[in-house]
Amino acid sequence: ARVLLTYKTKRRIQQLNELKRRRESHDALARKARKREVERGVDGQPILPIRTKGANVHCLGRIVTGHAAKAWHTTAYIWPDGFRSTRTYTSYKDPDVKVQYTSEICRSNLGGSPIFKVTADDDRLSPVIKETASGAWCAILEKINQEKDK
């Protein structure tokens, strides 16, 4: 039996196929990223720092359990309390200079939910603290762009 499809239906099928292709591509990249071997000591624990392409992980932190655990994970992410990493990036004080930024996941004083703190080595007294990791880094990027616009 031959089925006639409208233009809208054909277009929707194309869009769904494109979404499926992108998802499969993303999933393949995620699987590849997960397969990275990490050096371990004789006790089986990872040797720190763990050097990645863009950052160095200095502390893996700990998984929060119990009644507070809900705030520390989603279906896509787990935010370990005490996680700490560093990366080199443009300074927001002087955009011509690269500095080291330290990213940390800490427990907030209000309700024990995670907070995300990013501290620049050239401005240690003024860390950026937000409720999301992307919020903290967006604030850093905003500061850099403001300084560049001066």
Side-chain angles (χ1 to χ4, degrees):
R2 190 171 178 187
V3 178
L4 295 176
L5 301 175
T6 65
Y7 174 77
K8 284 184 178 181
T9 305
K10 286 180 185 177
R11 183 70 184 131
R12 184 65 183 143
I13 290 170
Q14 288 174 337
Q15 289 171 339
L16 291 171
N17 286 335
E18 177 63 16
L19 283 172
K20 181 180 175 186
R21 187 192 61 75
R22 285 183 188 171
R23 189 177 309 118
E24 287 169 353
S25 174
H26 173 54
D27 290 349
L29 286 173
R31 279 192 302 277
K32 184 178 179 182
R34 283 188 217 121
K35 290 183 181 179
R36 185 179 182 277
E37 289 296 319
V38 173
E39 259 189 84
R40 296 180 180 275
V42 292
D43 60 354
Q45 295 298 312
I47 297 174
L48 299 173
I50 298 170
R51 300 186 196 299
T52 66
K53 203 172 193 177
N56 294 318
V57 177
H58 299 276
C59 182
L60 295 172
R62 66 175 191 79
I63 304 300
V64 177
T65 59
H67 71 279
K70 223 176 204 182
W72 290 81
H73 69 86
T74 66
T75 55
Y77 300 103
I78 298 173
W79 299 289
D81 185 17
F83 175 88
R84 188 176 71 253
S85 67
T86 57
R87 72 173 51 243
T88 302
Y89 201 70
T90 305
S91 169
Y92 56 76
K93 286 190 151 196
D94 182 357
D96 295 327
V97 175
K98 300 280 188 191
V99 297
Q100 189 163 319
Y101 286 89
T102 302
S103 298
E104 298 173 88
I105 304 174
C106 310
R107 188 179 295 266
S108 76
N109 293 333
L110 304 170
S113 58
I115 56 171
F116 299 83
K117 181 167 84 169
V118 179
T119 308
D121 269 3
D122 62 346
D123 194 14
R124 290 188 180 179
L125 298 178
S126 301
V128 172
I129 300 172
K130 298 289 181 185
E131 292 180 355
T132 65
S134 56
W137 276 102
C138 284
I140 295 291
L141 294 174
E142 193 173 300
K143 285 180 156 193
I144 292 169
N145 288 332
Q146 286 173 353
E147 191 62 32
K148 284 181 179 180
D149 291 343
K150 285 184 179 179

